[in-house]
Amino acid sequence: MAVIIGNLHLGGLNTLFRFFISSFTPSLNSQVLQSAWNGLQVTFGFAILAWSLSLFLGVLLGLLGSYNLCSFFNISPVIATVIRRTLTVPRAIHEVLWGLLILQICGLSPWIALVAMTIPYTAHMARVFSEQIDNISLKELIAIKLTGSRNLESLITAITPKIIPIIATFGFYRLECAVRGATLLGIFGLGGIGTELQLSLMSLQFNQMWTSLWMLFISLFLLEKAIEWIQQPKFYINNTGVYTITFISSLIFSILISLLLLNYLGINFFEGLHFTPIHPPNFYRFIEAFKSLNWVQLILDTLILTFVASCIAIGLPPLIFMNVHSNIGQGIVSIILILLRLMPAPLVIILLLLSTTPSTSVVALALGLQNLGVLGRILRDNINKQGDQLFNSVLSTGATNSNAWLYGRFIQESISYLSYSIYRTDIILRETIVVGAVGGVGLGWQLQESLSSFAWEEVILISIVFVCITLIGESINEQMQKALLGIKRTNQFSMLKI
Amino acid sequence: MNSLIELNNVSLYNKSGIRLKGINISINCGEKIALIGSSGAGKTTLLKLANGTIFPTHGEVRFNGLSISKLTHKQRLKIGTLWQDLRLIEELSVCQNINAGALGRHNVTWSIANLITGININECSKYLRAANLPVSFLGRNIRDLSSGQKQRVAISRLLIQRPEIILADEPLSNLDQFLANKILNTLLSVNTDSTINTAKTCIISVHQLDVLQNFTRVIGIRSGQVVIDCDTTDLKDIDLRNLYN
């Protein structure tokens, strides 16, 4: 914060003030409204398409990547291992990085946004689904199998009812992520509401920018509420079959509607791609590229960025909730959290850069604030589900509200909050490539520079280094999570081979 | 008599040591066997070996002369198990759970139809009544039932399978005396509805020694070894004292 405040300049502050004031007077010009509305439809169209495809592929790969199901079908577990290991690389690369890489090779085409989102989302969903399937108790499956039922019938009856709640919770959560991802891709020039936001910000048309922002906020808020409604257990308990069929039908229907909508908005998926041939990289140029970059500095900047952003995102929510007790205060915090969550981090960086100079602190603040919105919401929701007994009993000892919150509420949630926070640092690390490109920091910035100058050897090296850092980070976090939760993985079919 | 299940010199070891040692049991068609022994003696393990959930470290288990590990799904249909932990699918209704016992006789379309909506209502009702639950329970969710009611749904699932042999692991544990007698009679095919084809052969693990007179044979296990194997009429008090001491 000291660095940011030290570099502040008043002219920029005035612009920032204009930005905030414009939130009350968004442009209602019909052309602006139409343009923002079209952008929103494009973003949602791409998001739904990418989400549907990645959900379908993710479930399929998740099933194949499950050790327990491999064992059940007498398939070698090597297949599950190969699938899991192969998917780590596409998962480690952010959708924006995929978009930028494919853009360089294929030229500007609607397919890019779709493929760029589908690849990492599929890998991510496959990982979560396979882990969840391996954590499901398979006793019921074994029991049904032993009644003489064939494999497929046993699987449909015993496993489908258990997978559906996982798809309902995690799958729909990914739809929200897909809308945010599609907005981000738009900021990098791939169309939709993101491009509208980017263009209006660059021309300092804040009223127009707020028209798009409000539209995005309202639609994401409505989407969040719709997803919460769909996820209610009453819909799938006892109605697994109907829920599954409705879900699959809605998925197919959404794909068709999205394709028709995008076609209506002038986005033609069937336009030919313009491939730019990439010459095979030369070994000596690789060596030169390796020597030309200051790797220590780039990696260090990326790690510092991740660390500072994680500290902001993980540390602030408990501090805020510990000190805000009134209903009005909590209402204001909730609104701020929604705004932080919905505002794309690259736009926050550009806004901050209006009144300060590029630095790791600015980028870390923007990245940290966006993730604070996500973690704050999770902590608040989980604490709201608790009873009041423990809180009241601590309060009755004469403790202050803050201490009662800490001992009576937070302590019950601390393990699961920390566990999710560890997972969140993986996401923050992945996002450094995007915010770094905008904010001029770390590997993200260097990648942007190398892409702009078509330095393919550098692009490949940076991508490899970034994937390695992400995988190492993921592995460390996995160990930390296991230690925190005391997880011991067991193969439930191992008993068949005593 | 025909041997339905044979355990020939069966032993089972795992990391914690010996679970079963040198078991030789031949179960003939029509026998009603009570499996007794204190907790942890190896009754559940013996039943799991007999139904093919686990395989022995030494020796072999045979069903109708075939190795238990090589049974086809149609042959498996003939072995019905009532699990100690019931293994009902909590996310499904009572009707869907009962039908899960009949999957071996139907194809994949039937299993999908069962998942979409409870089918085969008449047959489910028949087996639900046999297990002493009213038909109104068919649409209920498993999570909403008491442990005794769940037990009876599991018995209905077992009965709809129409097995040749029933392996039941403590089926009376969650039931009151009156209900326990009724359920035991159902499992032993005594005084039951003539339209219900219950198995002629069964092995039931029990802790209540006052029900032993309903069985034709008693097998007692202590520390993984068979220490009693005789007709119920030949069972002596001293054998029981030795078994539990």
Side-chain angles (χ1 to χ4, degrees):
Chain A
M1 282 306 280
V3 177
I4 296 168
I5 293 166
N7 291 333
L8 276 179
H9 59 90
L10 289 174
L13 276 182
N14 185 37
T15 317
L16 255 185
F17 181 72
R18 265 183 53 219
F19 169 77
F20 286 115
I21 288 297
S22 301
S23 66
F24 299 103
T25 55
S27 171
L28 297 174
N29 178 290
S30 61
Q31 275 186 335
V32 174
L33 281 170
Q34 186 62 45
S35 176
W37 174 239
N38 286 351
L40 192 70
Q41 290 178 88
V42 170
T43 297
F44 267 78
F46 275 117
I48 289 171
L49 275 180
W51 173 74
S52 311
L53 281 173
S54 56
L55 185 65
F56 173 73
L57 295 171
V59 170
L60 199 69
L61 291 171
L63 290 169
L64 288 171
S66 156
Y67 288 116
N68 278 337
L69 291 187
C70 275
S71 187
F72 182 70
F73 282 108
N74 285 328
I75 301 170
S76 166
V78 174
I79 291 178
T81 309
V82 168
I83 288 172
R84 285 186 178 210
R85 294 275 177 272
T86 312
L87 290 176
T88 51
V89 175
R91 198 173 65 238
I93 300 174
H94 196 279
E95 59 262 32
V96 171
L97 178 52
W98 276 113
L100 291 173
L101 290 171
I102 302 169
L103 182 71
Q104 301 300 324
I105 300 165
C106 302
L108 196 58
S109 164
W111 283 105
I112 293 171
L114 188 60
V115 175
M117 282 194 286
T118 306
I119 293 171
Y121 289 2
T122 298
H124 201 70
M125 286 208 217
R127 178 201 178 185
V128 172
F129 288 141
S130 58
E131 281 176 359
Q132 294 285 335
I133 292 166
D134 280 351
N135 285 335
I136 289 175
S137 164
L138 298 182
K139 281 181 175 179
E140 294 87 348
L141 179 63
I142 296 167
I144 288 176
K145 174 89 180 98
L146 287 175
T147 63
S149 166
R150 282 166 288 251
N151 282 345
L152 190 59
E153 284 90 328
S154 310
L155 204 68
I156 288 169
T157 305
I159 292 294
T160 315
K162 293 180 187 296
I163 292 179
I164 290 300
I166 299 169
I167 294 175
T169 47
F170 183 74
F172 279 116
Y173 159 72
R174 290 304 301 180
L175 178 57
E176 283 182 59
C177 298
V179 175
R180 286 195 202 108
T183 310
L184 259 185
L185 283 167
I187 292 170
F188 283 83
L190 287 169
I193 195 92
T195 306
E196 297 290 327
L197 289 167
Q198 169 78 346
L199 292 175
S200 49
L201 178 60
M202 287 307 180
S203 54
L204 300 181
Q205 298 296 322
F206 294 135
N207 303 76
Q208 292 180 17
M209 190 183 171
W210 272 104
T211 308
S212 301
L213 271 178
W214 280 123
M215 271 194 187
L216 187 65
F217 289 164
I218 292 165
S219 51
L220 276 172
F221 178 76
L222 291 176
L223 179 71
E224 201 175 298
K225 291 293 158 201
I227 288 171
E228 269 174 29
W229 184 76
I230 295 168
Q231 285 174 337
Q232 291 179 91
K234 69 175 181 185
F235 289 122
Y236 51 80
I237 297 285
N238 261 17
N239 288 311
T240 311
V242 177
Y243 191 86
T244 311
I245 286 178
T246 314
F247 183 70
I248 293 170
S249 315
S250 313
L251 216 61
I252 294 167
F253 186 70
S254 308
I255 292 173
L256 291 175
I257 292 288
S258 303
L259 280 172
L260 287 172
L261 181 73
L262 290 172
N263 193 44
Y264 172 75
L265 293 168
I267 292 165
N268 187 1
F269 276 100
F270 303 103
E271 267 178 43
L273 297 170
H274 307 287
F275 287 100
T276 309
I278 298 173
H279 300 293
N282 180 304
F283 178 75
Y284 294 104
R285 281 160 69 181
F286 258 124
I287 300 290
E288 275 173 34
F290 187 79
K291 284 180 184 167
S292 68
L293 297 176
N294 185 354
W295 291 103
V296 176
Q297 189 61 48
L298 290 172
I299 293 170
L300 205 61
D301 281 349
T302 304
L303 294 180
I304 291 171
L305 177 56
T306 308
F307 179 74
V308 178
S310 300
C311 287
I312 294 169
I314 299 166
L316 281 183
L319 285 176
I320 294 169
F321 291 124
M322 196 169 84
N323 291 298
V324 179
H325 305 289
S326 67
N327 287 337
I328 297 170
Q330 285 182 0
I332 293 169
V333 168
S334 290
I335 292 168
I336 292 171
L337 288 179
I338 292 175
L339 293 176
L340 289 176
R341 206 164 57 240
L342 301 185
M343 187 82 170
L347 286 186
V348 178
I349 294 171
I350 296 171
L351 279 170
L352 288 173
L353 289 180
L354 291 173
S355 56
T356 185
T357 50
S359 69
T360 309
S361 316
V362 173
V363 182
L365 181 67
L367 186 56
L369 286 177
Q370 196 200 17
N371 284 284
L372 182 151
V374 177
L375 282 168
R377 175 204 174 186
I378 286 167
L379 183 61
R380 185 204 58 200
D381 287 355
N382 288 344
I383 280 178
N384 284 347
K385 285 177 194 162
Q386 292 176 358
D388 287 332
Q389 293 100 322
L390 189 57
F391 176 75
N392 288 336
S393 67
V394 179
L395 209 57
S396 67
T397 64
T400 60
N401 269 323
S402 301
N403 280 337
W405 184 88
L406 195 62
Y407 284 85
R409 294 203 193 283
F410 182 65
I411 210 90
Q412 297 178 64
E413 281 304 319
S414 56
I415 298 289
S416 63
Y417 177 70
L418 282 177
S419 166
Y420 185 77
S421 299
I422 290 170
Y423 161 74
R424 201 73 209 170
T425 54
D426 280 346
I427 297 174
I428 292 174
L429 177 58
R430 251 178 233 124
E431 286 177 346
T432 56
I433 205 85
V434 181
V435 290
V438 179
V441 174
L443 288 165
W445 175 248
Q446 187 54 55
L447 185 80
Q448 174 83 330
E449 291 281 294
S450 303
L451 276 169
S452 308
S453 54
F454 303 103
W456 292 111
E457 287 78 12
E458 286 181 12
V459 171
I460 292 168
L461 282 175
I462 293 166
S463 302
I464 291 170
V465 169
F466 189 71
V467 167
C468 289
I469 294 173
T470 314
L471 292 180
I472 291 168
E474 200 175 271
S475 175
I476 293 169
N477 286 345
E478 204 172 303
Q479 295 305 318
M480 283 167 69
Q481 256 179 334
K482 279 181 184 170
L484 197 67
L485 299 171
I487 295 169
K488 284 181 190 162
R489 255 197 56 74
T490 52
N491 182 352
Q492 295 175 59
F493 277 89
S494 59
M495 62 180 191
L496 290 169
K497 302 181 184 82
I498 290 173
Chain B
M1 269 200 269
N2 298 329
S3 243
L4 209 55
I5 292 184
E6 285 173 89
L7 283 86
N8 298 327
N9 198 23
V10 164
S11 296
L12 183 75
Y13 305 95
N14 65 7
K15 285 173 192 167
S16 56
I18 300 168
R19 300 269 290 276
L20 290 174
K21 193 178 175 188
I23 306 281
N24 281 297
I25 298 174
S26 179
I27 296 155
N28 298 315
C29 197
E31 280 190 308
K32 316 282 184 194
I33 300 172
L35 190 61
I36 56 173
S38 49
S39 298
K43 300 190 296 295
T44 301
T45 310
L46 181 71
L47 290 173
K48 280 183 178 173
L49 278 167
N51 74 8
T53 313
I54 53 177
F55 300 121
T57 321
H58 295 298
E60 61 170 359
V61 180
R62 290 183 166 271
F63 175 75
N64 272 338
L66 295 164
S67 169
I68 197 86
S69 60
K70 289 174 184 154
L71 296 184
T72 62
H73 76 93
K74 284 201 171 158
Q75 287 158 336
R76 283 204 171 278
L77 195 59
K78 295 173 183 172
I79 308 172
T81 307
L82 185 64
W83 303 84
Q84 193 174 11
D85 54 1
L86 305 180
R87 303 196 177 186
L88 295 169
I89 303 163
E90 300 245 319
E91 292 80 4
L92 297 182
S93 69
V94 169
C95 180
Q96 288 168 319
N97 265 286
I98 296 174
N99 279 332
L103 285 175
R105 288 198 304 276
H106 297 93
N107 58 19
V108 69
T109 321
W110 195 86
S111 67
I112 293 172
N114 180 47
L115 211 61
I116 294 169
T117 173
I119 53 172
N120 200 20
I121 303 290
N122 287 340
E123 210 178 353
C124 286
S125 307
K126 190 170 78 179
Y127 289 106
L128 198 63
R129 275 195 299 267
N132 253 63
L133 270 184
V135 177
S136 58
F137 273 66
L138 279 179
R140 297 264 298 266
N141 186 251
I142 294 295
R143 289 177 189 192
D144 301 333
L145 305 184
S146 69
S147 50
Q149 289 164 341
K150 284 181 187 172
Q151 184 100 323
R152 282 175 275 169
V153 174
I155 289 168
S156 306
R157 185 179 70 181
L158 170 74
L159 295 177
I160 205 172
Q161 188 185 332
R162 291 186 231 142
E164 278 183 16
I165 181 168
I166 287 175
L167 309 171
D169 196 358
E170 297 185 25
L172 315 177
S173 56
N174 291 319
L175 307 173
D176 60 56
Q177 187 66 46
F178 173 75
L179 209 53
N181 284 335
K182 288 200 90 166
I183 294 298
L184 190 62
N185 284 340
T186 308
L187 292 174
L188 296 172
S189 337
V190 179
N191 304 329
T192 48
D193 182 348
S194 59
T195 60
I196 293 172
N197 302 316
T198 47
K200 290 186 176 67
T201 316
C202 57
I203 311 177
I204 301 178
S205 108
V206 287
H207 278 297
Q208 300 89 333
L209 298 180
D210 57 324
V211 299
L212 291 185
Q213 74 273 9
N214 296 301
F215 295 86
T216 57
R217 182 176 161 192
V218 177
I219 294 176
I221 297 185
R222 191 177 66 191
S223 306
Q225 288 181 294
V226 174
V227 292
I228 300 173
D229 188 356
C230 62
D231 287 347
T232 314
T233 48
D234 298 336
L235 187 67
K236 297 183 181 70
D237 280 350
I238 190 151
D239 295 333
L240 291 174
R241 274 201 295 276
N242 283 339
L243 181 72
Y244 286 101
N245 290 330

